[in-house]
Amino acid sequence: MITSLQNGKYRIESLLGSGGFGNTYLATQVVLGRKVAIKEFFMKEYCDRDESTSQIIVPTESSKLLVEKYRQKFLKEAQVIASFKNEHIIQIHDIFEENNTAYYVMEYVNGGSLKDKVDCEGPLNESDAIDYISQVGNALSYLHSNNILHLDVKPANILLDKDNRAILIDFGISKHYDEVGGQTSTTPTGISKGYAPLEQYKQDAITQFNPTTDVYSLGASLYFLLTGKNPPDATDVYEEGLPAIQATITETTRQAIISAMQPRRKDRPQTIGNFINMLNLSREKVKKD
């Protein structure tokens, strides 16, 4: 594993996580003495590392163009995320190239993810779950106002900071669209089973801007927070509908989740705001009860 970056500016402490397109490290920004998270572009299927130099190597000529294409995309996405001004979206402090690859430095959010919280403590109470989902909804509404779809909303990608505030992370498969809704960026495909709607399983199905794909994932995330169970796969929802949600959850919340997780996009709330408004009705009822 690498031990430092930028001539010692960042000291690597540990590996936080590893996926198909990158590694995330816990590091210390030495001069400021603060903890940060650093994302490294590393396409596991195509890249190797020279352990003696930390340089990234692409062994085959046929893969080099593909890896370079996605490395440039990684840098572009980092620049876009760095421009975001929303308290519920991860903040990026630095972007650079080194070791024949690319990195970006993020704030370190140390409260764990919502998935971690539910796995450890069990299902959340309805009021808290709606509050977290509303915060993520705020982030998604901001993204959608900038013609960006996240496309990987799930509890594992929602972190909690020291103030118990929900922070949306991982924009690796997000897509950008022009003013008329046409796709302007190419991203690798990705499916988070249970959280991805049917259209994400189809090739080239997300070429037009449509917030309802993120609506589905946000509804599925709420399902997990309230039940402690992973949502069923989209094909199972299509064939059999959602399993029953416990009766202790208000009917308005149950109906909001069912509505958000409809197989057909046109049957879902058409914006994040529409979905959050349904949940606000539930929140008011919970407070009264």
Side-chain angles (χ1 to χ4, degrees), residues 99 109 112 136 139 166 168 174 218 246 259 270:
N99 297 329
V109 182
V136 180
L168 183 63
S174 65
L218 191 60
Q246 60 265 37
S259 179
Q270 294 300 293

Side-chain angles (χ1 to χ4, degrees), residues 111-206:
S113 70
L114 281 179
K115 184 180 187 307
D116 296 333
K117 185 176 180 67
V118 172
D119 286 346
C120 180
E121 303 174 9
L124 305 185
N125 69 60
E126 189 171 350
S127 180
D128 287 347
I130 290 174
D131 187 48
Y132 287 133
I133 291 299
S134 296
Q135 292 178 51
V136 180
N138 179 281
L140 289 172
S141 291
Y142 176 87
L143 292 176
H144 295 172
S145 71
N146 288 281
N147 286 341
I148 299 169
L149 295 180
H150 186 279
L151 300 177
D152 199 18
V153 178
K154 57 185 178 182
N157 284 341
I158 302 166
L159 302 183
L160 298 176
D161 70 5
K162 60 183 177 58
D163 297 318
N164 203 34
R165 181 179 54 180
I167 307 292
L168 183 63
I169 65 167
D170 202 339
F171 290 76
I173 63 171
S174 65
K175 289 185 185 292
H176 301 179
Y177 301 82
D178 58 27
E179 292 183 359
V180 294
Q183 183 179 333
T184 61
S185 64
T186 301
T187 60
T189 57
I191 300 294
S192 293
K193 188 175 180 181
Y195 299 95
L198 278 176
E199 63 265 21
Q200 280 188 255
Y201 287 77
K202 300 175 183 176
Q203 189 172 6
D204 297 327
I206 317 291

Side-chain angles (χ1 to χ4, degrees), residues 7 69 112 143 175 267:
N7 295 316
K69 171 185 174 184
L143 292 176
K175 289 185 185 292
D267 294 333

Side-chain angles (χ1 to χ4, degrees), residues 1-194:
M1 188 179 78
I2 57 176
T3 58
S4 68
L5 291 165
Q6 293 287 278
N7 295 316
K9 180 179 179 180
Y10 301 106
R11 184 177 65 243
I12 305 301
E13 308 291 353
S14 63
L15 179 67
L16 290 173
S18 182
F21 287 85
N23 302 310
T24 303
Y25 302 99
L26 173 63
T28 297
Q29 187 174 1
V30 177
V31 172
L32 296 179
R34 68 175 175 183
K35 299 295 185 184
V36 293
I38 300 181
K39 185 81 173 275
E40 174 187 58
F41 175 72
F42 186 90
M43 293 182 75
K44 190 178 296 185
E45 186 176 347
Y46 302 101
C47 297
D48 291 328
R49 190 191 304 276
D50 183 332
E51 294 299 336
S52 64
T53 65
S54 297
Q55 294 288 304
I56 303 301
I57 302 165
V58 183
T60 64
E61 288 296 324
S62 60
S63 300
K64 286 183 177 179
L65 284 177
L66 178 67
V67 171
E68 178 59 19
K69 171 185 174 184
Y70 283 122
R71 189 179 74 87
Q72 291 301 323
K73 195 268 178 186
F74 177 91
L75 286 167
K76 181 179 178 182
E77 289 297 331
Q79 292 166 351
V80 171
I81 300 167
S83 72
F84 293 161
K85 304 298 180 187
N86 184 281
E87 63 178 342
H88 300 295
I89 294 176
I90 195 75
Q91 295 296 299
I92 288 183
H93 302 312
D94 197 3
I95 304 166
F96 57 88
E97 297 178 71
E98 192 172 333
N99 297 329
N100 199 34
T101 189
Y103 299 85
Y104 61 81
V105 181
M106 303 171 283
E107 62 177 316
Y108 175 53
V109 182
N110 63 358
S113 70
L114 281 179
K115 184 180 187 307
D116 296 333
K117 185 176 180 67
V118 172
D119 286 346
C120 180
E121 303 174 9
L124 305 185
N125 69 60
E126 189 171 350
S127 180
D128 287 347
I130 290 174
D131 187 48
Y132 287 133
I133 291 299
S134 296
Q135 292 178 51
V136 180
N138 179 281
L140 289 172
S141 291
Y142 176 87
L143 292 176
H144 295 172
S145 71
N146 288 281
N147 286 341
I148 299 169
L149 295 180
H150 186 279
L151 300 177
D152 199 18
V153 178
K154 57 185 178 182
N157 284 341
I158 302 166
L159 302 183
L160 298 176
D161 70 5
K162 60 183 177 58
D163 297 318
N164 203 34
R165 181 179 54 180
I167 307 292
L168 183 63
I169 65 167
D170 202 339
F171 290 76
I173 63 171
S174 65
K175 289 185 185 292
H176 301 179
Y177 301 82
D178 58 27
E179 292 183 359
V180 294
Q183 183 179 333
T184 61
S185 64
T186 301
T187 60
T189 57
I191 300 294
S192 293
K193 188 175 180 181

